[in-house]
Amino acid sequence: AQSVSQHNHHVILSEAASLELGCNYSYGGTVNLFWYVQYPGQHLQLLLKYFSGDPLVKGIKGFEAEFIKSKFSFNLRKPSVQWSDTAEYFCAVADGGFKTIFGAGTRLFVKA
Amino acid sequence: DAGVIQSPRHEVTEMGQEVTLRCKPISGHNSLFWYRQTMMRGLELLIYFNNNVPIDDSGMPEDRFSAKMPNASFSTLKIQPSEPRDSAVYFCASSPGGLSKNIQYFGAGTRLSVL
């Protein structure tokens, strides 16, 4: 069965620090990969996605993620975080069927 | 488009009462998902529909939970009888078909408190 593992449950950074959130999945076939963000009190929204092609994908608000197939990883990065990036971040994997598996989430707190 | 619309936004009820949560997916989307989010268990998929047909309800916790999708523009999640451990935020999401079928668009959620 598919599973998604997010390495950190909580991350605290100061503004301007660099961010990398780890995500690993278990599935041997072709996958679609996602990062969603949930700002405090709000619903999940898509941050970026990977379907095929260039393994380095860019999303909204300066976020990017790199798909490394050999490592079954899809880590999220941002060079310089802002206070407004405080949110919970979810990695998600779909095998092309209807179902998407979400990771447990990483809560990011950015200190102003 | 207004996005996925859920109602009510907040629901407070007493143990044993019936609770019905409602969802209107984005027009033209083929799939609809119900999730439950709690601090302890994170985001859990309860059930999903494709073209109004339930495909996988293995995440529904017990028989007290039921979901329907009578048409392409409406779905309900019902809990009867409700229990305090059902307190959570319930999200509905919809997906388009085709190449973007795995992209999910979430509603604002219903925060349920069962006293």
Side-chain angles (χ1 to χ4, degrees):
Chain A
Q2 293 178 41
S3 66
V4 179
S5 175
Q6 292 186 236
H7 304 163
N8 308 96
H9 293 298
H10 295 90
V11 174
I12 301 174
L13 295 173
S14 297
E15 274 196 314
S18 64
L19 170 72
E20 181 159 3
L21 301 182
C23 173
N24 286 90
Y25 64 93
S26 65
Y27 183 71
T30 301
V31 293
N32 295 332
L33 300 162
F34 309 85
W35 278 96
Y36 286 82
V37 61
Q38 185 177 26
Y39 296 104
Q42 296 189 26
H43 60 284
L44 278 78
Q45 54 188 289
L46 184 67
L47 196 57
L48 49 79
K49 65 185 185 297
Y50 172 81
F51 284 177
S52 63
D54 188 344
L56 184 62
V57 293
K58 296 189 183 299
I60 60 172
K61 304 185 179 184
F63 286 90
E64 65 179 31
E66 184 175 14
F67 170 49
I68 302 179
K69 188 174 182 179
S70 61
K71 295 184 178 180
F72 298 90
S73 69
F74 190 56
N75 293 353
L76 180 71
R77 299 194 293 251
K78 185 171 184 179
S80 176
V81 295
Q82 301 173 316
W83 176 81
S84 58
D85 293 324
T86 294
E88 188 160 15
Y89 294 82
F90 293 87
C91 181
V93 176
D95 64 2
F98 299 109
K99 194 171 181 177
T100 298
I101 306 297
F102 286 82
T106 298
R107 287 178 177 253
L108 171 66
F109 180 73
V110 180
K111 298 183 290 184
Chain B
D1 199 314
V4 176
I5 299 173
Q6 291 187 245
S7 64
R9 290 294 310 275
H10 298 89
E11 177 81 34
V12 180
T13 191
E14 293 186 343
M15 183 174 63
Q17 296 298 305
E18 177 179 297
V19 174
T20 299
L21 311 181
R22 297 172 176 80
C23 176
K24 176 179 168 55
I26 294 173
S27 177
H29 281 194
N30 297 337
S31 300
L32 183 140
F33 305 79
W34 281 102
Y35 292 89
R36 178 172 67 177
Q37 186 178 40
T38 60
M39 288 289 291
M40 291 296 294
R41 300 174 70 92
L43 192 66
E44 302 174 275
L45 175 64
L46 301 177
I47 185 171
Y48 68 95
F49 297 82
N50 186 56
N51 293 326
N52 312 338
V53 176
I55 303 299
D56 185 349
D57 65 354
S58 59
M60 297 285 262
E62 35 192 290
D63 292 345
R64 298 184 296 107
F65 286 69
S66 63
K68 294 182 180 180
M69 192 165 186
N71 57 61
S73 59
F74 184 66
S75 177
T76 59
L77 178 68
K78 186 178 292 186
I79 308 173
Q80 166 63 18
S82 59
E83 297 183 2
R85 60 192 167 122
D86 301 330
S87 297
V89 180
Y90 291 81
F91 288 104
C92 175
S94 68
S95 287
L99 295 176
S100 297
K101 67 179 177 182
N102 290 144
I103 297 176
Q104 300 199 9
Y105 297 81
F106 284 79
T110 296
R111 184 173 294 275
L112 173 64
S113 297
V114 183
L115 307 177

